[in-house]
Each structure stands twice: as structure tokens, then as C-alpha cells.
Amino acid sequence: MQLKIALLGGDGIGPEVLAQSVKCLKAVEETFNHEFIFTKAPVGAVAISNTGQPLPQETLNLCKASDAILFGAIGALEYDQNPEAKVRPEQGLLKLRKELGLFANIRPVKVFPSLVENFLLPKKIIAGTDFVIYRELTGGIYFGKKTLSEDGTAASDLCEYSESEIARITHMAFKAAKKRKKKLTLVDKANVLETSRLWRKVVTEIAESYPEVALECLFIDNAVVQLILNPSKFDVILTDNMFGDILSDQGSVIIGSVGLLPSASVGTENAMFEPFHGSYPQAKGKNIANPVASIFSTVLMLQHFGLYEEANAVASAVQKSFVKGVITPDILGSSKYGTDYVGDFIAENIVDSDENMNINDENIGLGRSTII
Ligand code: IPM
Ligand code: MG
């Protein structure tokens, strides 16, 4: 298969972790005879410094003309510390999502048995965790009208949703639940918000077309408690843009490191794959960032194009790095392995599954959790 892949490294550790994904995809290219055409383009704070724009038009054009986009990370300290900045790196990512119509953000959260001892939360809580968040990505409070009064003392952000915006991601989430553990949890705040009541109405109606899937509705404040107490009870979580942003970071605490979690943002025309994590500017250039979230994002990309054997080969190589302890310090404080080394190790271990007899349940499971 030939694929045109846009590489948007962005800010902070973004380019470093993305470079490891490219190594892995080059290994996939060679092992499985594909052709991946990579083109780099600027986005975020880096793009603002060079062009004044967080998403230059050429970057957007490249993304539109590509089969897939691999995204690194976005954000920089100078902007985080200056809420008054009118042009912000994050606007680049939000514009990209909107312009490309990437309305569904899919964030799988799965605990790996080989790492379960490494993390803060008790094993009895996190063992068996395997859920996926379907976060609406191009609507809601993120994109509603924003106002700031002239004297700067009052502000507002409008949260709006239409039935069709809710319905399209709801169908995707139900279809995923049908292939998984057949449970869907809608997270909202329907006791207070009108938009949440619309979500509940639309989702409940659509649920009738998926009788094999059990629908549960939780308020966001209760959901954060249930998720931390009982993460393994969840299967597919469906929610709006803002609640999805918050819940997915909570997912990273459950799994142990935000450096392990990938995501796919898809629409009808385009698809973008990116780690959950931010730009982690403090780690930039130190060769300590975990490349696994970015590499797992390529697994989601390969699955998106139906390249399941290839996706399994990458997931197996990551699994091998876990088992052999070739992991970065965010997982094991005493680890001497850096971003580059872990990336090389994973890329070198990407082999055709016919030749790899050591595939175990865990990595097969990842390959099977087809997301789309
Ligand atoms: C995420 C990030 C973004 C978001 C930021 C960087 C705009 O937190 O993808 O979760 O809020 O969507
Ligand atoms: Mg976030």
C-alpha cells in the first residue's frame, strides 16, 4: 500500500517522539513491502515563531492532501504563562481538527499486564482495564462563540450541539461497543446542562438500533469517581468535547503513564493520529520522553487502513520492549533507556508475524481492538 503521511511534530517533545514513530513505520515499510511518503510541516508555537500562524496554510493544504497525519504535540511554556496571548499554539490543533472535520476522537485506555506493577494505583484496581473513549471533537464549548467584555471583567464561552453532531459519533461508538464488551456509557451533566439533555435524548433513541449493547448514563462528577474506583467496569465511553478532554487525562493516571496512550481523530475524509500527552517542554531535547504513545498512534493508523498484521507487528515489538524492561524513566524511575534507544529497540523488533511465534494474548488483544 502507498500512503502519504504528513508529519506534524509541533512543539516540545513532539518531534522527538514522532521521529521514533517514523523509524517504526520505516521498519513496517521494509518488512511488509509498503511505501510511506513522509512530508514534514510546522504547527504550533514553532509555526508561530516562523510564520505568525499556529497553522500555516501550507501545513493545512499538506494535511488535506495526505492519507494520514501523524501529530507530535502542541503547546509552549511562554504561552501557558501568558493567558493574554491572542495567537496561541493550541489554536493550530483546534483549527486542524475543525478544518479537517475530525469529529471523533478515539482514545483507547488499556493496562498492560507486564507493566501493572510499575504504577501508583493498586493492581487490584487497574488490572483488566480496557476501555475506549469516544470524544466529540469539533463541537461544544471548545468551538462556541467566545466573548470578553470591553473592560475585561466578564467573559463567556457558548456550548452548542446539534442532533446531527451528536448522532454521527454516537453511531461510531455503538458500532465499536458491538465489537467489544457491548457496553456504552454516556457521560454528561444532564441534571444541569441543556446540551447534555440533548445528548441523552439522541443517544437513548439511537440505542434502540443497537439492542445488543447495554447503555448506561453517568453524570461527569460521578463518572470520574467510578472510573478511578472501577476502571475495568468500563467498555466504551461516549462524551462531549470538554468532558472527553478531562476524562481522557484521568485515563492516563489509571494506566500509569500518559506516555503510553495513543489517539485517533477521524472524520469522513481525513484521519489524524496523535499521543494523548502534551508537549512536555521541560523534557525537550533530554531524550527522556516516552515514545510509546506516538508509536501506538501508528498502530491505530495501520488499523485504520486495515493493515492489521502490520499493526500487530508494531504492537508486539512494543510489548517486547515492556517485557525486556526497555522502557523510559516515566515508567521505571531507574531506567537508563532514553527515547532514541526505546524507539530503535521497537523498530528493530518489528517482524512479520509468520516469523514471530512469540505473539501472546496481550499484543493480539491490542491488534484486535480495532477502533473504527
Ligand atoms: C487534548 C489536548 C488539547 C485539547 C489541547 C492541546 C488543545 O488537551 O488533545 O486532549 O484540549 O483537546
Ligand atoms: Mg487534553
Side-chain angles (χ1 to χ4, degrees):
M1 182 183 273
Q2 192 196 68
L3 289 177
K4 281 185 260 167
I5 302 173
L7 298 176
L8 273 55
D11 303 321
I13 58 165
E16 299 166 41
V17 293
L18 192 57
Q20 312 314 313
S21 291
V22 173
K23 280 181 198 167
C24 292
L25 286 175
K26 287 191 170 154
V28 170
E29 240 184 330
E30 263 179 45
T31 312
F32 295 90
N33 248 325
H34 296 300
E35 191 190 353
F36 299 145
I37 302 160
F38 299 106
T39 314
K40 287 187 186 173
V43 69
V46 171
I48 298 176
S49 317
N50 297 338
T51 67
Q53 299 287 324
L55 180 68
Q57 189 60 42
E58 299 87 86
T59 300
L60 181 60
N61 294 346
L62 171 77
C63 292
K64 285 186 174 163
S66 300
D67 297 303
I69 302 144
L70 288 180
F71 197 92
I74 208 154
L77 286 177
E78 67 216 78
Y79 294 94
D80 293 348
Q81 285 154 1
N82 176 14
E84 309 228 312
K86 289 274 173 288
V87 181
R88 311 186 61 80
E90 290 80 2
Q91 290 163 349
L93 178 59
L94 298 179
K95 186 167 175 204
L96 198 54
R97 290 171 178 171
K98 194 72 172 176
E99 291 272 337
L100 299 178
L102 306 175
F103 64 85
N105 181 227
I106 303 157
R107 299 186 159 184
V109 178
K110 189 175 155 111
V111 162
F112 296 94
S114 46
L115 296 182
V116 85
E117 307 290 348
N118 294 62
F119 301 129
L120 199 64
L121 291 179
K123 185 177 168 182
K124 68 174 196 301
I125 289 200
I126 62 173
T129 295
D130 178 8
F131 61 84
V132 54
I133 300 172
Y134 274 69
R135 168 188 176 194
E136 201 291 327
L137 202 60
T138 51
I141 197 165
Y142 270 58
F143 291 97
K145 189 170 177 232
K146 297 177 191 311
T147 67
L148 179 65
S149 66
E150 255 172 47
D151 64 1
T153 59
S156 70
D157 295 277
L158 184 65
C159 182
E160 272 183 310
Y161 269 111
S162 68
E163 205 172 296
S164 60
E165 281 177 312
I166 300 169
R168 59 188 179 179
I169 185 164
T170 299
H171 281 289
M172 282 176 96
F174 269 108
K175 282 181 188 147
K178 237 171 105 170
K179 290 195 206 138
R180 293 175 46 101
K181 294 178 272 174
K182 301 187 171 39
K183 182 175 171 192
L184 187 144
T185 306
L186 170 66
V187 174
D188 62 25
K189 189 71 187 169
N191 50 346
V192 177
L193 302 177
E194 205 55 56
T195 43
S196 285
R197 287 192 275 274
L198 183 64
W199 272 84
R200 250 185 214 213
K201 176 176 158 284
V202 174
V203 172
T204 309
E205 280 166 14
I206 291 176
E208 286 173 23
S209 325
Y210 299 90
E212 59 280 74
V213 178
L215 171 66
E216 161 190 70
C217 300
L218 287 182
F219 297 141
I220 177 71
D221 43 354
N222 185 16
V224 293
V225 175
Q226 300 307 323
L227 198 62
I228 212 87
L229 290 178
N230 253 323
S232 62
K233 290 268 157 58
F234 289 84
D235 180 17
V236 174
I237 296 175
L238 169 64
T239 192
D240 78 3
N241 204 345
M242 183 72 170
F243 298 147
D245 180 45
I246 298 164
L247 276 181
S248 50
D249 270 31
Q250 197 190 6
S252 74
V253 179
I254 295 163
I255 197 177
S257 170
V258 71
L260 295 171
L261 293 172
S263 83
S265 301
V266 299
T268 47
E269 307 285 322
N270 296 95
M272 182 162 91
F273 303 86
E274 59 175 311
F276 269 42
H277 60 67
S279 60
Y280 193 11
Q282 300 82 351
K284 184 182 174 178
K286 293 194 179 147
N287 198 29
I288 54 169
N290 192 338
V292 168
S294 180
I295 295 172
F296 273 153
S297 300
T298 69
V299 172
L300 300 185
M301 184 195 88
L302 293 166
Q303 289 177 349
H304 178 77
F305 290 105
L307 303 174
Y308 298 109
E309 244 184 275
E310 292 81 344
N312 274 341
V314 179
S316 299
V318 175
Q319 178 57 28
K320 193 164 173 190
S321 76
F322 293 164
V323 172
K324 298 272 181 204
V326 182
I327 48 186
T328 42
D330 54 310
I331 300 180
L332 186 66
S334 60
S335 168
K336 55 183 190 309
Y337 299 112
T339 313
D340 268 340
Y341 189 93
V342 174
D344 286 340
F345 180 92
I346 295 170
E348 279 160 20
N349 280 284
I350 292 172
V351 286
D352 197 327
S353 61
D354 294 342
E355 298 152 33
N356 181 9
M357 302 312 288
N358 292 327
I359 296 183
N360 62 28
D361 284 355
E362 196 176 330
N363 53 45
I364 291 174
L366 185 88
R368 236 196 255 129
S369 62
T370 307
I371 49 159
I372 295 156

